[in-house]
Amino acid sequence: MKSVGVTLLLVLIAGAMLAAVPARGAGVDPPGGAHGSPVYAPVVGSIEGTVTDKYTHQPLFAADVMVAGTGLGGITDRDGKFAISDVPAGSYRVTVSMMGYEVAAVDDVEVRDDPTTTMHFELCPRVLDIGLNVLVEASHFHKDSEKPTSFRTLTPQEMRYSPGAMEDVFRVLQSMPGVSPADMTNSNLIVRGGDPSENRTLFENIEIPRALHFGRPGGTIGGISIVSPSLLERVDFLTGGFPARYGDKVSSVFEMKLRDGSSTNYNTNLNFNMGGFSLAADGPLPGGGTMLFSVRRGVFDLLTSTMNVPALPSYWDVVGKVTYDLGSSNKLSLVGFYFPDDLEIAADPDGESRHGMWPGLDLERSDHGRAVGLNWRHLQGERGYVLTTASHISNSWTTSRGTEEEPRLVGDAIREEEFQLKSELNRKLSDRVNVRLGVFARQIHSEQHTWSVSDTAATGEVIPAYRVTYDPAPPYKAGSYLQTTVRPFSRVSLTTGLRYDYYDFTGESKVSPRLGMALSLTDRTTLNAAYGHYYQTAAPWHVALHPSNTTLRSSGSVHYVAGLKHLLSRSTQVSVEAYHKELSDVFVHSYTSRITTNKGSGHAQGVELCVQRKMSRGLVGSLAYTYSISMRRDGASLPEYYSEYDRPHNLTLVGSFTPSDRWRIGAKFLYATGSPYTPVVGSEQVDGEWYPVRGTKNSARYPDYHMLDVRVDRSFQFANWKLLAYLDLWNVYGYQNVTLYNYSIDENGTVIRTAPDEAPRMLPIFGLEARF
């Protein structure tokens, strides 16, 4: 632990330096031999994009777009479009300003040789009271008056260069306040003590069940994101108190927005790392359209086969977007993705799974997922627009466990399809009032076949053999919402909302009020608060396993959130936020009887502190600390216990230094209290066999979880292309984090506890990216 203490001290010193180092503008290294890169001509690129009103999506004419530190800029035309050429290759801060609007800025915008960097800005109208002076400057921190609390926006550069993330957006989000790490091999999001299945995921306004390879319905394992950061324009992440347009989940909202392809140049990107080999391309299409396309092949199966590891995971993914502007008022976007996952794991006769069942059988899994959707945005005059989305989502999961002689002793085959249609009217009633009115409908077709031979659980309970077939008539969900944002004064923003959801399978109708408020106490200090009711219907995999599960009601949660944000400078922000969640009708599942009930209840509460420094160059980073408690109760008369996702202390320190456009050095230190588990406290003999005796539920904890990751990036600029290389070292000091114990009992009834060596002590990840 001495090395851990020294490492933590160094990282703390680096974190303390965040407020001491002055912001630096975005400079550019001179091309040529100064850095040993074989550049044969001055290296310049261009920036193009659009600027629109946030609430009406109307193009903004005569907005000023500036590239900080260069003196270069442009002005938008009547279509809201701009183009800035001859920008020296490098990393910049791009700002947009216009009379009557808040100044907007994006950091770390990369300009490359020849390819065009495409951007999109949405400006928020500024409300000014007569006689009141308001500080107008471009902050590095994105604000959204409709989402006053628990809201973060990530840019592609923040996602791509984060240490210990392997360019995976979900691993980057695990460093956010209120998010607990799963483990070194898991990208699932545990938000404010909630189950990963309680998080809503949106892909280009399409609600999808998952965006992770190797994720399962109700599963706690998730490998790697389906969508690469290089394809994204931004990611919005809400950890609580989210407004009325989001529903049917009780913990968080994760929303991905793909970037548009370039309208002037064809760009190609080749990438290789431990996550896989990918090819991405974007550019113009005939008729004035643009396209964005990516295909990736995972390499885990190739790596594990060479290392003689018994797990052989393989996957592919394809992501695409085609966009056309149909005149000045209509825009169509066709988006979609497809992925197949396959996994084989050899039996571990001496092991124990998390539920004590089937460790001695071979495992084979085959998962497939796809989504395709059409977004139609129609401008309605100068005051609003309508966004309509039609989509189809299909997922299938097939699992079998068995022996070489009988490979299908235990398994399931699940298929789920959804047809979604939703439309939202956004209307700017005045400079101070904006309204969203939405309607939606979803038809769900679920089919599940599950089977098992008889077995004896780890407790000694005999589980009879069973075979379940579930194929109901496709139910539907429908509803509407009204959301209003009012800015009665320049320093006050109030968002109210009311949502109605109907589910015909259970006949449930739910009404969810929402309220959010932001009050600017000073030019740099804002008080935020939110309140809301949230509901989540039972998933088909909840219902399928037993006839009594068809009566399951929606689980519920009430969120109370309050926080304070203060800008220490344009590039440094401190925020403190407290939350309380009251949980009702929580799903309680028995793995032996296969019955799920609504008898559960609970609460989660905590306080989050975040200090963050952003800029295009120099020293950047964040400190995020969360203290939280997450409790559950499986019945009114049963004792309360710690949730399996309860981790009272979470600390993440992330720092990155960019001495030049060629080099970037970063590090991340993560610490979390160990997760609760139910210990084995003894053994008992039944019919000559020894079985473990379990103690009080979740009364023990695994050891505290901590690790240090270090990443170094180096870029090489050639005449017509650019090469980026990086080395990402996970768990540098080699600490063996324990997230599972295996138990065995010898012939004398003595319980033997071992910790499986599930993850490497230190994992070096090397990556290459070529941009053309």
Side-chain angles (χ1 to χ4, degrees), residues 21-244:
V21 178
R24 296 169 53 189
V28 181
D29 291 325
H35 293 277
S37 299
V39 180
Y40 304 104
V43 182
V44 296
S46 59
I47 302 174
E48 67 173 24
T50 55
V51 181
T52 61
D53 183 293
K54 172 179 170 57
Y55 296 110
T56 68
H57 280 206
Q58 289 288 330
L60 295 181
F61 172 55
D64 290 316
V65 185
M66 297 299 297
V67 182
T70 67
L72 299 174
I75 298 177
T76 57
D77 61 19
R78 294 191 179 277
D79 295 324
K81 297 180 179 180
F82 68 90
I84 306 171
S85 58
D86 296 327
V87 182
S91 183
Y92 298 95
R93 186 170 198 247
V94 179
T95 62
V96 181
S97 60
M98 184 174 177
M99 183 73 69
Y101 287 87
E102 303 283 352
V103 180
V106 176
D107 295 304
D108 233 358
V109 176
E110 283 198 349
V111 178
R112 297 174 276 158
D113 177 35
D114 191 31
T116 300
T117 300
T118 304
M119 305 184 69
H120 175 66
F121 291 89
E122 293 182 349
L123 300 191
C124 182
R126 185 171 69 247
V127 176
L128 289 179
D129 296 328
I130 297 176
L132 181 64
N133 292 322
V134 178
L135 179 66
V136 179
E137 62 176 353
S139 169
H140 290 256
F141 301 94
H142 180 69
K143 293 191 299 182
D144 191 327
S145 57
E146 294 181 311
K147 306 163 187 172
T149 65
S150 313
F151 174 59
R152 300 286 189 281
T153 291
L154 290 176
T155 65
Q157 298 305 95
E158 289 176 299
M159 294 179 265
R160 297 175 79 175
Y161 294 116
S162 179
M166 199 170 65
E167 301 184 5
D168 187 301
V169 59
F170 288 92
R171 293 184 183 274
V172 177
L173 292 175
Q174 289 178 348
S175 300
M176 299 290 104
V179 183
S180 299
D183 58 54
M184 190 174 175
T185 61
N186 197 332
S187 296
N188 265 321
L189 298 178
I190 301 170
V191 181
R192 291 180 172 175
D195 189 280
S197 66
E198 297 172 355
N199 304 323
R200 163 62 66 211
T201 301
L202 291 101
F203 169 81
E204 282 285 306
N205 206 37
I206 303 170
E207 297 177 3
I208 61 175
R210 58 172 179 154
L212 284 169
H213 288 286
F214 306 108
R216 298 299 305 271
T220 58
I221 301 299
I224 188 170
S225 172
I226 296 165
V227 183
S228 167
S230 65
L231 306 177
L232 293 169
E233 177 183 300
R234 72 174 191 273
V235 162
D236 291 342
F237 185 47
L238 297 96
T239 56
F242 35 93

Side-chain angles (χ1 to χ4, degrees), residues 35-37 662-664 712-716 723-726:
H35 293 277
S37 299
R662 314 283 184 191
W663 288 94
R664 185 187 297 255
V712 178
D713 291 79
R714 174 70 162 95
S715 64
F716 303 87
L723 176 67
L724 295 93
Y726 72 83

Side-chain angles (χ1 to χ4, degrees), residues 364-380:
E364 290 188 8
R365 275 181 47 178
S366 181
D367 305 342
H368 294 77
R370 63 178 177 269
V372 61
L374 182 66
N375 286 305
W376 171 33
R377 189 214 62 190
H378 172 65
L379 299 182
Q380 291 195 322

